[in-house]
């Protein structure tokens, strides 16, 4: 094996990514960096600090389409392509910030520079310039013209920032002559022992994708990586195959089980065409699910079958808007409230699509029977992510804005107080094999009662004793932090007095109301589904104003 080190300016690095010189698919993890890591990276660049070396393996690679930080990249066949072994997070961050647009859903890359305090901040503030503007001279000139209140010192600071960003040189270590895929895998695991720790799922994926990529398996792999890059987590292979079939054969039912033989029956050219057309449809569906249906991760989809149906809808009719947008949001949440006896509605949803977006959205919504019993009542005995009711419970708890209470044994880098919804915490947690809930009291409140959500927190893995101590200590966590977990003063008093049975009953009453309200605010059972429909408020906590 041979190695060399080349230096590239940041604009040159970003341009090489745009042109497909870098390949980030084979070993890449989801973009897990949050606001802190991203702003600190640009602060280091601005100060001229080293930010670490990007390490790549120079080896042949075929033609490929993939996404990095929302940017679509077409990489041509290349006998000396660069597969990134170390530095994916830095490279993804650079591309994400360089290409960030104000209306982009992923706000992690909205980085601004404060011209007065000399700091990089997430989101706009007074006297701040977007880094995506400062990195390009033409954009910066236009931005300065649009802000006549800037002083000469402000303008000079803008150009100093531009110079710092565009002149910074980043080393790239190029490894060539790597004799085997196993050696590439070993390099990957050795190089990634630092930073955001590798989860077991990361290593498993790296070995799997390094060891074998059959032509058929390659069909769904770009979709799986695309979902990860968009922050929605790793799609199960069967679900990715269903999405491909939904686009390849839109007028046929989507197979609910064993979809692989249906994909195998397609020709190689039909498979490639399906991948090409499915990628933008999947992106549109995922953005809708995350931003408007408020389901942030594939593992929280109460019924994964809704995803290929949405992908087919976007592929057939284009981006979701207007009446279908509202009806499909209701449909997703109404399916979340199905009882096991009612799940035949999902089979009906996967039948052939109607001819227009309005008729198809109405068909899907009409396929879901009313909840049993009425009105909907949360099943608090479901305390696992293995069941749709448990995932619906998790969505209800997540809507209250819970935060990390104690450091997790399985996650590193996040401090107590970090909102559980931030991608740098939520994505690696849900991508892992760990469950969604942690038991709170040291033992079940009653041997005669089944497990109940009243005794569980939505929280990354942590010992119950540690959680209990943090909540009831003489120097307790802030009230707002605890309220996000439905821990009010009465509940904390009961916990501190070891009156666990009363605590569970008290918290159950809070959870029952909150989960039912969350589900109903999106499903909107009892409201008209025809005629002119009011739009559901985007605020997660705002109550719809319409009356039945």
């Amino acid at each position: 094996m041979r190695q060399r080190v080349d230096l590239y300016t940041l604009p040159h690095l970003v341009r090489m990514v745009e042109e497909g010189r870098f390949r980030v698919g084979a070993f890449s993890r989801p973009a897990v960096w949050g606001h802190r890591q991203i702003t600190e990276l640009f602060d280091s660049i601005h100060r001229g600090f080293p930010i670490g070396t990007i390490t790549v393996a120079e080896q042949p690679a075929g033609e490929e389409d993939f996404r990095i930080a929302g940017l679509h990249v077409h990489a041509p066949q290349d006998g000396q392509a660069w597969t990134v072994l170390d530095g994916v997070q830095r490279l993804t961050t650079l591309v994400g910030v360089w290409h960030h647009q104000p209306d982009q859903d992923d706000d992690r890359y909205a980085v601004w520079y404060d011209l007065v305090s000399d700091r990089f901040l997430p989101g706009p503030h007074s006297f701040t310039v977007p880094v995506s503007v400062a990195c390009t001279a033409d954009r910066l000139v236009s931005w300065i013209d649009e802000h006549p209140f800037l002083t000469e010192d402000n303008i000079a600071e803008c150009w100093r920032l531009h110079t710092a960003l565009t002149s910074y040189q980043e080393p790239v270590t190029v490894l060539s002559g790597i004799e085997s895929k196993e050696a590439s895998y070993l390099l990957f695991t050795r190089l990634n022992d630092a930073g955001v720790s590798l989860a077991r799922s990361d290593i498993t994926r790296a070995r799997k994708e390094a060891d074998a990529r059959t032509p058929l398996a390659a069909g769904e792999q770009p979709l799986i990586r695309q979902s990860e890059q968009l922050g929605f987590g790793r799609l199960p292979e069967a679900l990715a195959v269903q999405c491909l079939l939904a686009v390849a054969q839109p007028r046929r039912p989507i197979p609910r089980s064993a979809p692989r033989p249906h994909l195998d029956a397609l020709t190689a050219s039909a498979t490639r065409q399906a991948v090409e057309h499915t990628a933008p449809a999947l992106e549109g569906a995922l953005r809708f699910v995350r931003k408007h249906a408020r389901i942030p991760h594939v593992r929280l989809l109460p019924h994964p079958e809704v995803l290929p149906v949405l992908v087919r809808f976007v592929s057939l009719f284009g981006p979701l808007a207007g009446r279908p947008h509202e009806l499909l949001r209701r449909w997703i949440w109404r399916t979340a409230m199905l009882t096991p006896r009612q799940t035949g509605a999902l089979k009906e949803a996967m039948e052939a699509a109607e001819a227009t977006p309005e008729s198809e959205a109405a068909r899907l919504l009409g396929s879901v029977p009313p909840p049993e019993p009425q009105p909907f009542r949360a099943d608090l005995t479901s305390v696992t992510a293995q069941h749709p009711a448990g995932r619906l419970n998790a969505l209800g708890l997540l809507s209250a804005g819970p935060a990390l209470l104690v450091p997790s044994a399985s996650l590193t880098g996040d401090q107590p107080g970090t909102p559980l919804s931030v991608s740098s915490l939520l994505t690696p947690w849900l991508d892992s094999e760990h469950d969604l809930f942690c038991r709170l009291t040291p033992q079940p409140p009653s041997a005669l009662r089944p497990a109940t959500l009243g005794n569980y927190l939505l929280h990354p893995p942590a010992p119950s004793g540690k959680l209990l101590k943090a909540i009831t200590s003489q120097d307790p966590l802030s009230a707002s932090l605890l309220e996000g977990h439905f821990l009010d003063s009465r509940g904390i008093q009961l916990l501190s007095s070891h009156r666990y049975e009363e605590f569970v009953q008290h918290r159950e009453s809070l959870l029952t109301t909150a989960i039912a309200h969350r589900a109903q605010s999106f499903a909107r059972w009892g409201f008209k589904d025809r005629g002119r429909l009011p739009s559901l408020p985007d605020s997660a906590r705002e109550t719809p104003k319409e009356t039945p």
Side-chain angles (χ1 to χ4, degrees):
M1 185 178 70
R2 300 174 299 279
Q3 62 176 296
R4 70 177 190 273
V5 178
D6 300 329
L7 290 174
Y8 296 96
T9 63
L10 299 187
H12 194 167
L13 276 180
V14 172
R15 187 163 59 251
M16 286 195 292
V17 173
E18 297 166 349
E19 294 170 352
R21 181 76 168 114
F22 289 96
R23 305 299 175 97
V24 299
F27 292 105
S28 64
R29 290 182 288 171
V32 299
W33 274 13
H35 284 136
R36 179 180 60 81
Q37 293 103 324
I38 291 173
T39 54
E40 286 182 357
L41 176 75
F42 277 90
D43 182 72
S44 295
I45 291 171
H46 186 233
R47 296 171 184 270
F49 292 172
I51 60 173
T53 302
I54 295 173
T55 303
V56 301
E58 189 174 68
Q59 47 194 202
E63 185 178 5
E64 183 180 5
D65 285 274
F66 58 90
R67 302 190 74 82
I68 175 170
L71 174 71
H72 176 265
V73 176
H74 174 74
Q77 184 173 349
D78 189 348
Q80 296 179 312
W82 287 357
T83 299
V84 183
L85 301 178
D86 184 39
V88 166
Q89 301 299 321
R90 278 166 282 153
L91 204 57
T92 301
T93 297
L94 289 172
V95 173
V97 173
W98 228 259
H99 285 276
H100 182 75
Q101 299 294 326
D103 59 348
Q104 193 169 319
D105 288 341
D106 195 341
D107 63 355
R108 288 176 297 168
Y109 303 122
V111 182
W112 298 64
Y113 177 70
D114 192 318
L115 298 170
V116 177
S117 64
D118 188 27
R119 291 189 303 153
F120 289 87
L121 304 167
H125 301 270
S126 301
F127 288 95
T128 56
V129 56
V131 174
S132 60
V133 166
C135 64
T136 305
D138 291 344
R139 294 181 199 165
L140 186 56
V141 169
S142 299
W143 185 85
I144 292 173
D145 288 342
E146 295 167 1
H147 293 77
F149 60 83
L150 295 173
T151 67
E152 290 185 6
D153 287 343
N154 293 151
I155 294 173
E157 189 62 33
C158 287
W159 286 109
R160 279 193 289 271
L161 173 62
H162 170 77
T163 301
L165 294 174
T166 56
S167 65
Y168 186 90
Q169 292 190 316
E170 167 67 359
V172 177
T173 299
V174 182
L175 307 177
S176 57
I178 300 175
E179 58 282 343
S180 67
K181 292 179 179 177
E182 184 63 29
S184 296
Y185 162 76
L186 183 60
L187 277 168
F188 169 72
T189 53
R190 294 272 176 89
L191 289 168
N192 282 275
D193 281 341
V196 178
S197 300
L198 285 171
R200 182 180 301 174
S201 58
D202 296 320
I203 297 174
T204 301
R205 176 174 66 253
R207 180 180 291 278
K208 180 178 180 180
E209 295 190 10
D211 286 348
R213 275 191 176 187
T214 66
L216 288 175
E220 72 270 9
Q221 291 303 323
L223 304 183
I224 294 172
R225 294 196 298 273
Q226 180 184 12
S227 176
E228 290 182 312
Q229 292 295 335
L230 290 171
F232 197 65
R234 182 175 176 82
L235 299 183
E237 290 186 3
L239 187 60
V241 170
Q242 286 178 320
C243 292
L244 279 172
L245 292 170
V247 174
Q249 302 172 331
R251 299 304 178 186
R252 295 184 183 180
I254 303 169
R256 291 191 69 194
S257 60
R260 169 64 64 186
H262 298 268
L263 184 64
D264 293 348
L266 299 180
T267 64
S269 61
T271 301
R272 286 194 297 271
Q273 189 175 34
V275 173
E276 179 182 348
H277 293 162
T278 304
L282 177 63
E283 179 174 355
L286 293 186
R287 292 193 186 281
F288 173 76
V289 171
R290 293 187 68 195
K291 184 175 181 179
H292 301 289
R294 300 293 174 84
I295 300 176
H297 193 279
V298 63
R299 201 173 170 204
L300 294 180
L301 281 171
H303 294 286
E305 293 97 330
V306 303
L307 184 58
V309 175
L310 286 172
V311 169
R312 178 176 64 186
F313 191 101
V314 176
S315 176
L316 286 172
F317 307 118
L320 296 168
R323 179 184 179 83
H325 181 283
E326 174 67 19
L327 293 182
L328 288 175
R329 180 162 47 186
R330 297 183 185 192
W331 170 68
I332 291 174
W333 277 84
R334 290 185 188 182
T335 64
M337 300 157 73
L338 292 172
T339 64
R341 195 171 68 84
Q342 296 175 318
T343 52
L346 296 171
K347 180 179 179 182
E348 186 176 342
M350 300 181 83
E351 295 295 324
E354 292 285 343
T356 68
E358 289 79 8
S359 61
E360 173 63 359
R363 179 186 78 86
L364 293 172
L365 193 64
S367 69
V368 184
E372 296 179 354
Q374 294 190 56
F376 168 75
R377 184 176 176 84
D379 177 11
L380 298 188
T381 64
S382 190
V383 293
T384 172
Q386 303 305 314
H387 301 291
R391 299 192 285 273
L392 180 59
N393 287 341
L395 290 170
L397 269 61
L398 194 62
S399 70
L404 195 69
L405 299 183
V406 299
S408 173
S410 62
L411 301 171
T412 58
D414 289 292
Q415 299 299 318
T418 303
L420 299 186
S421 58
V422 301
S423 299
S424 59
L425 175 55
L426 186 74
T427 301
W429 169 28
L430 298 187
D431 277 347
S432 71
E433 301 299 322
H434 298 294
D435 210 342
L436 305 179
F437 305 103
C438 285
R439 185 164 57 84
L440 182 56
T441 64
Q443 68 276 328
S446 171
L448 300 178
R449 293 188 61 192
T452 169
L453 197 62
N455 192 31
Y456 285 78
L457 298 182
L458 180 71
H459 197 279
S464 59
K466 201 170 184 180
L467 287 167
L468 195 61
K469 182 178 179 180
I471 294 168
T472 61
S473 65
Q474 292 185 352
D475 185 20
L477 299 167
S478 68
S480 60
L481 208 59
L482 297 176
E483 287 172 359
H485 288 277
F486 299 92
L487 296 167
D488 60 7
S489 57
R490 172 63 176 163
I492 296 169
Q493 181 184 16
L494 293 172
L495 276 179
S496 302
S497 304
H498 306 290
R499 296 157 63 184
Y500 299 138
E501 185 75 26
E502 294 177 67
F503 163 76
V504 169
Q505 292 176 356
H506 171 73
R507 191 162 177 267
E508 280 180 347
S509 66
L510 301 178
L511 296 177
T512 299
T513 301
I515 295 171
H517 173 75
R518 181 64 168 179
Q520 172 61 11
S521 67
F522 283 89
R524 295 174 76 88
W525 279 115
F527 293 86
K528 64 178 183 179
D529 294 327
R530 301 187 180 189
R532 185 178 179 183
L533 301 177
S535 177
L536 180 68
D538 277 337
S539 170
R541 291 174 178 261
E542 187 176 347
T543 303
K545 301 296 191 299
E546 183 188 4
T547 55

